[in-house]
Amino acid sequence: MNLKEIMKEAGIVGAGGAGFPSYAKLADGADTLVINGAECEPLLYTDYVLLHKELPMVLAGIQSVLEYANIPRALLCVKEHTAKRLRMEDGKRLADKITLKTLPDVYPMGDEIAMIYQATGRVVKAGNLPITAGVIVYNVETMYNVAMAVKKSAPLTEKWVTIGGNVPEAIVVKVPVGTPVWALFEKNNITVPEGHTVLDGGPSMGKVIDVETAVITKTTKGLLILPDSCEAIKSKFINGAMSIARAETACCQCTRCTDMCPRHLLGYPLEPHKMVRTAKGAATVLPQMVLSASLCCGCGICESLACCQGISPKAVINEYKALLGKNKLRYVGKEESVVAPEREWRMVPSERWQSILGVAKYDKVAKYVGEQKEYPTVEIYLRQHIGAPSVAIVKDGDVVAKGDKIAESADGLSLPQFASISGKVTVIDGVKIIIEKDSE
């Protein structure tokens, strides 16, 4: 099998959070491979720990992609604070054709459009894929998983995860995909205090989860326990429809949300203040009015930093994104973007962003506590990636071993799934496969 087939057969999905099947990114025409180790969001240390503990495997994965796609160079991108912890400098040669690229400690530098510009000086045309600018982007953990598949023929069955926030000690742990969050917390003596919420992901873009029902998926980067009183959690419960109604009357059209928008500063035709003043009724009748909403990266700067009226442009844009999705519309530009000269001075320092979100005091460098395999049950969801869900190939009562294929990829864009522990199978039709370890 070639690398593209190996990646698909191993079930490798983008580990950065978006969930795009990694094999589908491999395409002709790239001259630069960008590896995202920026840890865009505060409190996450998964990529840092991976680079600290498994750099040779990460580099091996990068080299496999370079060789297969005939790409002449790779830039391993990390923020300045990560480079200092790894004792590396900008421009350091890590291996043949692979160089370290340091990025400023600003938010949201892990956004691939911002990172591509910062690392290469190229702006991907609005709504287009990075390959159109000659770039392919992968996450650090994705490259580790590629190396595991190539060198050890190992499918994706384990996940590296940060557990942080209001905990005595932030940790990074390697656990089976499908591990229940409650069991992970219990094993590591972590409790969720009253008046706190748990996020899957970072404080800005992470999703609120129910600890009793949530599991670790292929895209889980971190689990953060944060007080309900902090801005990061308050923003999760903003009602989009109410925000639109309020925006129509309260917005003063100061344009600050647009002035601070990272994508707008890169020359994208995204103007949040115009989204805010657009009547939802009109957009429903003519969704093309809000087409540029699809360009939003969801960073939340407009919501938590820019607006002086307590409006959430992000919530408004999310409503319009849903409207566009329903109508299968998105913005695809042909024009070149012109980067705003003031961009450099409007980027938000990471420390300031932590303070704005109310999470600065919880920023603790995570300690790696090792691999934890002994979990009595896992739940493998059939939809852990963008595209068609996997199709179960096991049935109730089947006994499987770790690494066995339990779901095949569907037609089109899709991925298979594998058993992350050994045990007996229960299939929840079209949703998930539960594996229970035999009691001894």
Side-chain angles (χ1 to χ4, degrees):
M1 289 192 294
N2 61 37
L3 182 63
K4 197 167 188 175
E5 293 168 337
I6 290 171
M7 290 169 68
K8 182 173 183 178
E9 283 302 305
I12 297 175
V13 63
F20 194 78
S22 300
Y23 75 89
K25 283 189 175 183
L26 287 176
D28 295 332
D31 61 27
T32 303
L33 176 63
V34 170
I35 308 303
N36 187 350
E39 308 268 31
C40 182
E41 295 247 41
L43 313 187
L44 299 179
Y45 286 91
T46 306
D47 292 340
Y48 160 69
V49 168
L50 254 171
L51 290 172
H52 181 61
K53 297 292 184 182
E54 296 284 357
L55 182 59
M57 286 295 282
V58 173
L59 296 178
I62 296 172
Q63 288 174 321
S64 292
V65 174
L66 290 177
E67 182 178 346
Y68 172 80
N70 195 28
I71 302 173
R73 68 164 181 166
L75 302 175
L76 175 53
C77 298
V78 299
K79 288 182 181 176
E80 291 170 351
H81 70 264
T82 300
K84 288 178 182 177
R85 291 190 178 106
L86 294 171
R87 298 182 180 179
M88 296 180 182
E89 294 182 353
D90 183 52
K92 178 180 175 62
R93 188 180 178 85
L94 302 174
D96 184 34
K97 300 180 181 179
I98 306 174
T99 304
L100 187 82
K101 178 65 179 178
T102 58
L103 308 172
D105 288 328
V106 298
Y107 176 80
M109 191 44 68
D111 168 47
E112 71 174 10
I113 303 301
M115 185 173 56
I116 289 171
Y117 174 72
Q118 203 70 37
T120 70
R122 304 174 191 174
V123 180
V124 179
K125 289 180 181 178
N128 286 258
L129 296 174
I131 190 63
T132 61
V135 178
I136 294 175
V137 181
Y138 282 122
N139 180 259
V140 162
E141 189 175 355
T142 304
M143 292 296 90
Y144 170 85
N145 291 331
V146 168
M148 291 292 290
V150 172
K151 297 172 74 70
K152 300 185 178 182
S153 300
L156 177 49
T157 61
E158 296 177 320
K159 194 72 181 72
W160 297 68
V161 180
T162 299
I163 304 177
N166 190 12
V167 293
E169 180 180 50
I171 62 173
V172 170
V173 62
K174 186 181 180 185
V175 295
V177 171
T179 299
V181 173
W182 68 263
L184 176 59
F185 282 3
E186 185 177 276
K187 187 175 186 67
N188 291 281
N189 299 312
I190 292 170
T191 58
V192 180
E194 189 169 341
H196 284 61
T197 294
V198 179
L199 302 179
D200 181 331
S204 304
M205 303 185 209
K207 301 289 191 296
V208 174
I209 60 170
D210 180 350
V211 172
E212 298 303 316
T213 59
V215 301
I216 301 299
T217 71
K218 292 180 180 181
T219 58
T220 302
K221 205 68 180 173
L223 298 170
L224 302 181
I225 303 171
L226 297 171
D228 297 343
S229 58
C230 72
E231 171 64 22
I233 298 301
K234 287 180 181 178
S235 68
K236 306 299 178 188
F237 297 98
I238 292 174
N239 182 293
M242 289 182 62
S243 193
I244 287 178
R246 183 179 181 194
E248 290 174 351
T249 57
C251 177
C252 65
Q253 286 293 294
C254 68
T255 76
R256 192 177 175 198
C257 55
T258 295
D259 295 340
M260 295 296 295
C261 174
R263 291 283 180 92
H264 180 78
L265 289 168
L266 283 170
Y268 277 28
L270 174 61
E271 299 176 285
H273 76 283
K274 290 185 179 179
M275 294 286 152
V276 167
R277 77 183 185 196
T278 301
K280 185 178 181 182
T284 302
V285 174
L286 191 64
Q288 289 83 353
M289 291 177 62
V290 293
L291 206 56
S292 63
S294 64
L295 302 175
C296 172
C297 69
C299 70
I301 286 177
C302 60
E303 173 185 89
S304 298
L305 172 61
C307 187
C308 60
Q309 298 282 27
I311 297 168
S312 173
K314 177 183 173 181
V316 173
I317 291 172
N318 284 342
E319 290 284 308
Y320 291 144
K321 278 184 178 180
L323 180 64
L324 293 173
K326 183 178 178 181
N327 287 276
K328 297 182 179 180
L329 295 171
R330 67 185 183 92
Y331 187 100
V332 180
K334 296 181 180 179
E335 68 282 358
E336 299 287 343
S337 298
V338 178
V339 178
E342 62 270 19
R343 173 180 177 270
E344 182 179 355
W345 315 112
R346 290 187 181 170
M347 293 191 292
V348 182
S350 297
E351 289 186 0
R352 185 184 179 197
W353 186 243
Q354 289 182 12
S355 297
I356 289 167
L357 295 180
V359 302
K361 65 181 178 181
Y362 304 118
D363 187 16
K364 309 159 189 173
V365 179
K367 171 186 174 183
Y368 180 53
V369 297
E371 186 174 2
Q372 297 178 349
K373 302 178 180 179
E374 301 302 317
Y375 286 92
T377 183
V378 295
E379 299 180 14
I380 312 294
Y381 278 82
L382 298 176
R383 187 185 288 278
Q384 296 188 61
H385 53 264
I386 291 172
S390 312
V391 180
I393 57 174
V394 292
K395 59 184 183 300
D396 289 355
D398 283 354
V399 175
V400 297
K402 179 183 176 182
D404 286 351
K405 184 182 288 188
I406 57 176
E408 189 57 88
S409 56
D411 293 337
L413 189 67
S414 189
L415 288 171
Q417 307 294 339
F418 297 85
S420 57
I421 64 171
S422 300
K424 186 176 291 187
V425 163
T426 300
V427 179
I428 308 298
D429 189 40
V431 179
K432 61 184 175 181
I433 297 170
I434 300 172
I435 304 173
E436 295 183 5
K437 187 177 181 181
D438 289 332
S439 57
E440 300 176 355

